[in-house]
Amino acid sequence: DGFIQYVGAGFAVTLFALMEPLTVAWLRTVFAAVLMLAWRRPWGARALTPRGYLWSCLFGTALVCMNMTFYEAVSRLPLGTTVSVEFLGPVIFAAIGISGWMGKLSVLLAFSGVIMISGLGLDMSNPTERVGLIWALVNGGMWVSYMALGRKVAVLGRGIDSLSVALAFGSCLQLPLAWPDIHIAFSSWSVFGLALLVSLCSSLVPYFLEMVVLCDVSAAIFALLSALQPVTSLLVGLIMLRQVPSWPEVVGL
């Protein structure tokens, strides 16, 4: 999940030279929504309950807010650093929800690694990095909302159908923000193909896997396991984007 998601993020960074991050975030969501709706078709005889639609729309709102704030952050900060900062939210969420000294120790270790990567790897005198840090911190809060609402949708049953509704609703919410640059995505087959690849790697496959996992584990355990993703993002940033980590980032890794 973590590997394929941040490979998609690596491809997304290349699109930032052509269009705004919010447009890339919309493309990521809308392509996934079309594919999921075509597969699941959650209407007619397969329609969700009114309660199911409500929670799916709330989940979709959290999902697109998470995507948009992530792309705003990663357009200003290295991929590994951005992911580490955003996971301060899930790690704190895990600390609240996990009991037992082994669980608390795991959270403490994860928190220490995240702090080493994010807190000591940033130049606070750089205004671009300061703004990126703010976006990454907001993104951390959106991650917590995504996990909590994702767990709620998953335990209601028909989580994959709910995910398709969430993606469709979220893409509608994003449309006004993405509108000015949408034409660029369809300007050539190469740009269109790259945007579709970003959607497959960063949305369709990871969200499907996460919904399956959330059916079986609590949101707090999911948050702790997700703290492994900064490790993946650092490696992907190094290999795909030539973003060499500093020594604090390596220690945190």
Side-chain angles (χ1 to χ4, degrees):
D1 174 33
F3 177 76
I4 193 170
Q5 183 169 353
Y6 294 119
V7 167
F11 288 129
V13 170
T14 64
L15 287 174
F16 293 160
L18 302 174
M19 61 191 83
E20 291 295 320
L22 293 181
T23 305
V24 180
W26 177 78
L27 290 169
R28 168 182 170 176
T29 306
V30 73
F31 285 152
V34 171
L35 293 172
M36 286 291 293
L37 287 174
W39 175 32
R40 304 304 298 184
R41 288 175 288 182
W43 53 77
R46 293 184 54 82
L48 303 176
T49 64
R51 185 184 180 202
Y53 281 119
L54 174 61
W55 282 110
S56 296
C57 290
L58 291 173
F59 178 49
T61 302
L63 186 152
V64 298
C65 288
M66 180 181 69
N67 288 347
M68 290 189 296
T69 53
F70 174 70
Y71 280 171
E72 288 290 350
V74 83
S75 66
R76 297 171 174 85
L77 298 174
L79 177 61
T81 304
T82 301
V83 175
S84 296
V85 173
E86 72 175 353
F87 272 94
L88 287 172
V91 169
I92 293 172
F93 180 64
I96 296 171
I98 293 179
S99 59
W101 72 270
M102 282 295 289
K104 299 296 185 185
L105 178 60
S106 299
V107 170
L108 179 61
L109 289 172
F111 185 78
S112 300
V114 169
I115 288 294
M116 287 294 292
I117 295 172
S118 59
L120 301 180
L122 293 175
D123 179 10
M124 287 295 94
S125 64
N126 186 324
T128 300
E129 292 198 8
R130 288 200 301 269
V131 174
L133 176 62
I134 293 171
W135 278 116
L137 290 171
V138 174
N139 181 241
M142 293 299 98
W143 251 106
V144 173
S145 299
Y146 166 79
M147 291 173 177
L149 289 168
R151 171 64 177 172
K152 179 69 176 180
V153 167
V155 298
L156 284 175
R158 298 185 59 192
I160 306 301
D161 291 342
S162 297
L163 175 60
S164 66
V165 173
L167 288 166
F169 181 76
S171 64
C172 293
L173 290 181
Q174 289 176 291
L175 181 58
L177 299 174
W179 187 259
D181 287 342
I182 285 178
H183 65 281
I184 299 175
F186 303 95
S187 61
S188 70
W189 282 109
S190 60
V191 175
F192 178 85
L194 187 56
L196 181 59
L197 185 61
V198 168
S199 181
L200 291 173
C201 292
S202 292
S203 289
L204 187 65
V205 175
Y207 293 155
F208 174 81
L209 294 175
E210 289 166 4
M211 188 57 60
V212 172
V213 172
L214 280 166
C215 289
D216 296 323
V217 303
S218 69
I221 293 295
F222 180 79
L224 180 59
L225 293 173
S226 296
L228 294 170
Q229 293 194 16
V231 177
T232 308
S233 65
L234 271 182
L235 295 175
V236 171
L238 174 63
I239 296 169
M240 289 188 64
L241 305 175
R242 300 296 188 268
Q243 296 174 343
V244 180
S246 62
W247 71 264
E249 290 176 320
V250 174
V251 174
L253 176 73

